[in-house]
Amino acid sequence: MILNNFKGKVFAGDKQVSQIYCGQTPLWSDDELDLNNDTQIAFLFDTTGSMRSFIGQTRTLATGIAQKALELESNVQFALACFKDTNADGFSPSTDFTDIDTFQSAMPINTSGGGDAAENGYGAIVHARNTFSWNPSFKHSIFLITDNPSNSKGATQGAALQALNEINASFYYGIRNQPRNYQTLSDSTNGFFFSSLQSFLATIQLQQAAE
């Protein structure tokens, strides 16, 4: 789960931050936090035509997750790649790990292409593993945002899972229809499905309460 990426005692200068809040609700306490590692988060966006009405929500969601990560005062880096039906469609716009401002500027505003019900999500995961500058001393997460399941044109599910394991990344996916062939990847890497920023934060809160 993402808490594996963000656990730790949080400091602002020399002062420890005792609580992290979602609204009025504390999500992490001193005893639950043990932040000893920097974090790299890669976002993979489906930019096929079926995502046209969701691209604004996708940008808002990714920004919210990124800002929540930065609230923990860690060294957090963000990367981005976009995918369509096959590897031949490319993965642009794309940016390697960078700061939040550059990441936000790189996020897409348009969608196009597609035409079938499954997209190149597995291929995008393998592309992210092979292309981005993963630092082995950082904790890693991949967030994939789509409205359809993955095909196997660019990579198989097994290849995608191997890519995640090679970089020890937790995998999270959303936002529409819960495309279930990603579930194996999230279950195997301590991630989960989310339908909104609110559902993402609520799931984290429930996981913390169960620990």
Side-chain angles (χ1 to χ4, degrees):
M1 60 185 175
I2 198 169
L3 295 175
N4 290 337
N5 295 340
F6 297 147
K7 281 186 177 179
K9 292 192 180 300
V10 180
F11 291 84
D14 295 329
K15 182 179 179 182
Q16 183 176 330
V17 179
S18 60
Q19 296 279 0
I20 304 296
Y21 285 84
C22 174
Q24 300 298 313
T25 304
L27 297 182
W28 294 279
S29 67
D30 288 342
D31 292 339
E32 293 166 331
L33 293 169
D34 184 24
L35 184 58
N36 298 316
N37 293 281
D38 300 324
T39 302
Q40 292 179 315
I41 302 175
F43 288 90
L44 307 177
F45 290 179
D46 174 356
T47 56
T48 56
S50 64
M51 286 289 289
R52 183 174 297 109
S53 60
F54 301 101
I55 197 65
Q57 180 183 351
T58 295
R59 290 167 57 90
T60 299
L61 174 62
T63 297
I65 293 171
Q67 290 175 338
K68 181 55 64 176
L70 288 170
E71 285 181 16
L72 300 179
E73 303 295 338
S74 176
N75 173 23
V76 186
Q77 301 173 356
F78 306 97
L80 170 71
C82 299
F83 62 93
K84 295 186 185 296
D85 282 348
T86 70
N87 289 346
D89 294 321
F91 298 93
S92 295
S94 177
T95 185
D96 202 352
F97 289 110
T98 186
D99 59 83
I100 190 171
D101 292 333
T102 304
F103 164 69
Q104 287 180 296
S105 297
M107 283 196 288
I109 58 174
N110 296 312
T111 61
S112 64
D116 55 10
E119 319 300 355
N120 189 30
Y122 295 157
I125 293 168
V126 173
H127 171 82
R129 182 264 178 269
N130 293 334
T131 304
F132 296 149
S133 302
W134 300 98
N135 187 323
S137 66
F138 282 43
K139 295 295 184 72
H140 302 144
S141 293
I142 289 181
F143 287 80
L144 186 146
I145 302 177
T146 185
D147 63 340
N148 278 308
S150 181
N151 59 42
S152 296
K153 295 177 181 178
T156 64
Q157 185 183 78
L161 181 57
Q162 179 179 342
L164 292 167
N165 289 334
E166 286 173 350
I167 55 174
N168 195 27
S170 296
F171 176 76
Y172 306 85
Y173 71 103
I175 54 179
R176 181 171 173 256
N177 296 338
Q178 193 165 352
R180 293 188 177 276
N181 66 350
Y182 289 116
Q183 190 70 43
T184 296
L185 303 185
S186 61
D187 287 348
S188 299
T189 59
N190 295 317
F192 52 80
F193 169 81
F194 57 93
S195 59
S196 64
L197 179 61
Q198 291 72 25
S199 76
F200 173 76
L201 294 175
T203 301
I204 288 178
Q205 186 176 358
L206 288 172
Q207 289 181 335
Q208 281 295 85
E211 292 181 353

mmCIF file of all heavy atoms in Angstrom, residues 6 10 44 46 53 62-63 65 74 104 113 136 142 186 190-191 209:
data_model
loop_
_atom_site.group_PDB
_atom_site.id
_atom_site.type_symbol
_atom_site.label_atom_id
_atom_site.label_comp_id
_atom_site.label_asym_id
_atom_site.label_seq_id
_atom_site.Cartn_x
_atom_site.Cartn_y
_atom_site.Cartn_z
ATOM 1 N N PHE A 6 5.299 5.965 2.278
ATOM 2 C CA PHE A 6 5.279 7.232 2.983
ATOM 3 C C PHE A 6 5.454 7.093 4.494
ATOM 4 O O PHE A 6 5.399 8.072 5.200
ATOM 5 C CB PHE A 6 3.943 7.964 2.711
ATOM 6 C CG PHE A 6 3.745 8.312 1.281
ATOM 7 C CD1 PHE A 6 2.481 8.317 0.733
ATOM 8 C CD2 PHE A 6 4.824 8.648 0.487
ATOM 9 C CE1 PHE A 6 2.291 8.649 -0.594
ATOM 10 C CE2 PHE A 6 4.631 8.973 -0.839
ATOM 11 C CZ PHE A 6 3.363 8.976 -1.383
ATOM 12 N N VAL A 10 7.685 12.539 10.402
ATOM 13 C CA VAL A 10 7.722 13.645 9.461
ATOM 14 C C VAL A 10 8.236 14.875 10.180
ATOM 15 O O VAL A 10 7.772 15.219 11.269
ATOM 16 C CB VAL A 10 6.312 13.912 8.888
ATOM 17 C CG1 VAL A 10 6.345 15.068 7.920
ATOM 18 C CG2 VAL A 10 5.802 12.653 8.207
ATOM 19 N N LEU A 44 0.548 6.856 -14.870
ATOM 20 C CA LEU A 44 0.315 6.384 -16.230
ATOM 21 C C LEU A 44 -1.120 6.717 -16.616
ATOM 22 O O LEU A 44 -2.058 6.229 -15.985
ATOM 23 C CB LEU A 44 0.568 4.878 -16.323
ATOM 24 C CG LEU A 44 1.930 4.394 -15.799
ATOM 25 C CD1 LEU A 44 2.026 2.877 -15.888
ATOM 26 C CD2 LEU A 44 3.073 5.057 -16.555
ATOM 27 N N ASP A 46 -4.269 6.849 -19.329
ATOM 28 C CA ASP A 46 -4.943 6.439 -20.557
ATOM 29 C C ASP A 46 -5.449 7.706 -21.237
ATOM 30 O O ASP A 46 -6.249 8.453 -20.669
ATOM 31 C CB ASP A 46 -6.097 5.507 -20.188
ATOM 32 C CG ASP A 46 -6.977 5.107 -21.363
ATOM 33 O OD1 ASP A 46 -6.765 5.602 -22.480
ATOM 34 O OD2 ASP A 46 -7.895 4.295 -21.130
ATOM 35 N N SER A 53 -14.045 12.633 -21.444
ATOM 36 C CA SER A 53 -14.807 13.317 -20.394
ATOM 37 C C SER A 53 -14.171 13.161 -19.011
ATOM 38 O O SER A 53 -14.665 13.750 -18.042
ATOM 39 C CB SER A 53 -16.242 12.790 -20.367
ATOM 40 O OG SER A 53 -16.266 11.391 -20.094
ATOM 41 N N ALA A 62 -4.589 13.215 -10.036
ATOM 42 C CA ALA A 62 -3.139 13.057 -9.934
ATOM 43 C C ALA A 62 -2.515 14.190 -9.124
ATOM 44 O O ALA A 62 -1.616 13.966 -8.314
ATOM 45 C CB ALA A 62 -2.526 12.997 -11.328
ATOM 46 N N THR A 63 -3.010 15.400 -9.332
ATOM 47 C CA THR A 63 -2.500 16.533 -8.559
ATOM 48 C C THR A 63 -2.790 16.354 -7.076
ATOM 49 O O THR A 63 -1.929 16.621 -6.221
ATOM 50 C CB THR A 63 -3.127 17.839 -9.062
ATOM 51 O OG1 THR A 63 -2.733 18.051 -10.428
ATOM 52 C CG2 THR A 63 -2.678 19.024 -8.219
ATOM 53 N N ILE A 65 -3.201 13.519 -5.372
ATOM 54 C CA ILE A 65 -2.330 12.476 -4.821
ATOM 55 C C ILE A 65 -0.916 13.015 -4.645
ATOM 56 O O ILE A 65 -0.260 12.779 -3.614
ATOM 57 C CB ILE A 65 -2.342 11.239 -5.728
ATOM 58 C CG1 ILE A 65 -3.720 10.577 -5.693
ATOM 59 C CG2 ILE A 65 -1.267 10.241 -5.307
ATOM 60 C CD1 ILE A 65 -3.902 9.473 -6.716
ATOM 61 N N SER A 74 8.635 14.806 2.519
ATOM 62 C CA SER A 74 9.690 13.951 1.984
ATOM 63 C C SER A 74 10.201 14.521 0.678
ATOM 64 O O SER A 74 9.650 15.466 0.126
ATOM 65 C CB SER A 74 9.141 12.540 1.763
ATOM 66 O OG SER A 74 10.108 11.712 1.169
ATOM 67 N N GLN A 104 3.067 18.670 -13.317
ATOM 68 C CA GLN A 104 1.743 19.210 -13.628
ATOM 69 C C GLN A 104 1.710 19.836 -15.013
ATOM 70 O O GLN A 104 0.722 19.709 -15.742
ATOM 71 C CB GLN A 104 1.343 20.236 -12.575
ATOM 72 C CG GLN A 104 0.973 19.618 -11.232
ATOM 73 C CD GLN A 104 0.587 20.673 -10.210
ATOM 74 O OE1 GLN A 104 1.397 21.519 -9.817
ATOM 75 N NE2 GLN A 104 -0.647 20.626 -9.775
ATOM 76 N N GLY A 113 -7.831 8.728 -30.346
ATOM 77 C CA GLY A 113 -7.529 7.352 -30.704
ATOM 78 C C GLY A 113 -8.307 6.352 -29.885
ATOM 79 O O GLY A 113 -9.333 6.652 -29.281
ATOM 80 N N PRO A 136 17.170 3.072 -6.702
ATOM 81 C CA PRO A 136 16.940 1.898 -5.848
ATOM 82 C C PRO A 136 16.857 2.213 -4.360
ATOM 83 O O PRO A 136 16.359 1.397 -3.591
ATOM 84 C CB PRO A 136 18.147 0.999 -6.151
ATOM 85 C CG PRO A 136 19.178 1.910 -6.714
ATOM 86 C CD PRO A 136 18.438 2.990 -7.441
ATOM 87 N N ILE A 142 3.335 3.152 -8.548
ATOM 88 C CA ILE A 142 2.807 3.465 -9.874
ATOM 89 C C ILE A 142 1.293 3.592 -9.770
ATOM 90 O O ILE A 142 0.623 2.714 -9.226
ATOM 91 C CB ILE A 142 3.183 2.378 -10.898
ATOM 92 C CG1 ILE A 142 4.685 2.447 -11.206
ATOM 93 C CG2 ILE A 142 2.375 2.544 -12.187
ATOM 94 C CD1 ILE A 142 5.153 1.421 -12.231
ATOM 95 N N SER A 186 -2.436 -5.133 -8.371
ATOM 96 C CA SER A 186 -2.546 -4.384 -7.112
ATOM 97 C C SER A 186 -2.509 -5.310 -5.908
ATOM 98 O O SER A 186 -1.849 -5.015 -4.902
ATOM 99 C CB SER A 186 -3.823 -3.531 -7.102
ATOM 100 O OG SER A 186 -4.985 -4.327 -7.206
ATOM 101 N N ASN A 190 0.445 -4.826 -2.874
ATOM 102 C CA ASN A 190 -0.120 -4.042 -1.758
ATOM 103 C C ASN A 190 -0.744 -2.729 -2.212
ATOM 104 O O ASN A 190 -0.741 -1.741 -1.472
ATOM 105 C CB ASN A 190 0.936 -3.772 -0.680
ATOM 106 C CG ASN A 190 1.398 -5.035 -0.003
ATOM 107 O OD1 ASN A 190 0.592 -5.896 0.329
ATOM 108 N ND2 ASN A 190 2.701 -5.162 0.180
ATOM 109 N N GLY A 191 -1.285 -2.708 -3.434
ATOM 110 C CA GLY A 191 -2.014 -1.544 -3.900
ATOM 111 C C GLY A 191 -3.507 -1.793 -3.854
ATOM 112 O O GLY A 191 -3.979 -2.738 -3.216
ATOM 113 N N ALA A 209 -6.383 1.964 10.226
ATOM 114 C CA ALA A 209 -7.186 1.579 11.380
ATOM 115 C C ALA A 209 -7.079 0.083 11.653
ATOM 116 O O ALA A 209 -7.210 -0.359 12.803
ATOM 117 C CB ALA A 209 -8.629 1.975 11.160
#
